[in-house]
Amino acid sequence: EPEVTQTPSHQVTQMGQEVILRCVPISNHLYFYWYRQILGQKVEFLVSFYNNEISEKSEIFDDQFSVERPDGSNFTLKIRSTKLEDSAMYFCASSGDRRREQYFGPGTRLTVT
Amino acid sequence: KQEVTQIPAALSVPEGENLVLNCSFTDSAIYNLQWFRQDPGKGLTSLLLIQSSQREQTSGRLNASLDKSSGRSTLYIAASQPGDSATYLCAADSGGYQKVTFGIGTKLQVIP
């Protein structure tokens, strides 16, 4: 069964460093999303991406964040200068249609020290 | 701004019991509502998605209902099993700036 994959599973970085989190969505899906979950808190929407551009973004998704689909399979989230408060689990998701189910990857745990 | 609330926060039941998890949302203008399961330290597994035009969806022992007018959804789990132990999240897709809003989840423990 097709699934969303994410790498790395765990990333440790120092404050101020840039990180890139990678996702491979399900191959025939057209809509892509990033979410984050700070330990013990709700899953929060960051951004959605369709047709090679951002379609929605939340207040969390400020200028420090960017997304890219560099090729036909990968979808990346870049944080330019990480802060301690960026420590969280980051989930990628994809869906085949705007109104259909979102399928989540296993997440990347980002730890900023 | 959409707010999603889930009650109870935690639930412990003996194996075999039927149970209901509740989700409420403040903005009834939703595209769909999706229920997920999250195991500790893991990603989210989609369980059921209810479109705004639907009233319920069923998958195996799971049944989810949606009442947009009252801003409520319920997830019914029949004949619970220890393997059902997990955190159950509901998420409302409202479109707009905050695309999908999650509840904090209900942590379910099914005791053998």
Side-chain angles (χ1 to χ4, degrees):
Chain A
E1 183 174 331
E3 60 183 15
V4 177
T5 59
Q6 290 185 242
T7 55
S9 57
H10 190 190
Q11 174 91 46
V12 181
T13 189
Q14 290 188 328
M15 195 168 52
Q17 295 296 305
E18 174 184 287
V19 293
I20 298 176
L21 310 183
R22 303 180 191 281
C23 168
V24 178
I26 294 173
S27 62
N28 61 346
H29 283 186
L30 301 175
Y31 296 84
F32 314 113
Y33 313 86
W34 283 102
Y35 296 84
R36 79 172 186 189
Q37 186 177 33
I38 295 171
L39 188 63
Q41 297 187 23
K42 292 184 178 184
V43 175
E44 300 172 289
F45 168 75
L46 293 178
V47 66
S48 61
F49 191 86
Y50 170 71
N51 200 27
N52 285 319
E53 62 182 23
I54 291 173
S55 51
E56 304 275 0
K57 63 181 182 178
S58 74
E59 294 169 343
I60 303 167
F61 195 88
D62 60 23
D63 292 342
Q64 291 298 312
F65 291 88
S66 62
V67 289
E68 191 178 31
R69 189 156 163 80
D71 53 43
S73 60
N74 290 284
F75 180 50
T76 62
L77 174 69
K78 181 192 289 187
I79 309 175
R80 288 190 182 81
S81 179
T82 51
K83 306 170 192 169
L84 295 176
E85 55 264 37
D86 293 328
S87 294
M89 184 76 96
Y90 287 80
F91 294 108
C92 172
S94 69
S95 68
D97 181 88
R98 172 65 178 84
R99 289 179 172 241
R100 294 186 66 180
E101 289 174 270
Q102 294 190 21
Y103 293 88
F104 279 68
T108 292
R109 181 169 298 284
L110 177 65
T111 301
V112 182
T113 61
Chain B
K1 179 182 175 183
Q2 180 74 272
E3 300 279 349
V4 177
T5 304
Q6 291 188 247
I7 295 173
L11 183 62
S12 183
V13 300
E15 181 176 2
E17 194 162 296
N18 302 326
L19 57 101
V20 175
L21 307 181
N22 297 293
C23 171
S24 61
F25 46 94
T26 54
D27 183 355
S28 61
I30 60 171
Y31 283 113
N32 61 53
L33 188 134
Q34 194 166 355
W35 283 92
F36 295 88
R37 169 188 172 133
Q38 186 175 30
D39 293 284
K42 304 285 187 178
L44 281 66
T45 301
S46 176
L47 298 173
L48 290 164
L49 178 137
I50 313 176
Q51 300 287 359
S52 60
S53 58
Q54 297 174 321
R55 295 296 297 263
E56 65 178 320
Q57 281 287 322
T58 298
S59 175
R61 294 182 294 109
L62 305 180
N63 175 276
S65 67
L66 176 64
D67 184 344
K68 280 180 56 178
S69 62
S70 66
R72 292 181 182 179
S73 177
T74 61
L75 179 67
Y76 175 82
I77 303 177
S80 58
Q81 302 171 357
D84 295 331
S85 299
T87 297
Y88 290 81
L89 306 175
C90 71
D93 183 349
S94 306
Y97 192 62
Q98 295 285 352
K99 182 174 177 68
V100 175
T101 305
F102 278 81
I104 190 67
T106 293
K107 187 173 183 179
L108 173 66
Q109 182 182 26
V110 180
I111 303 168

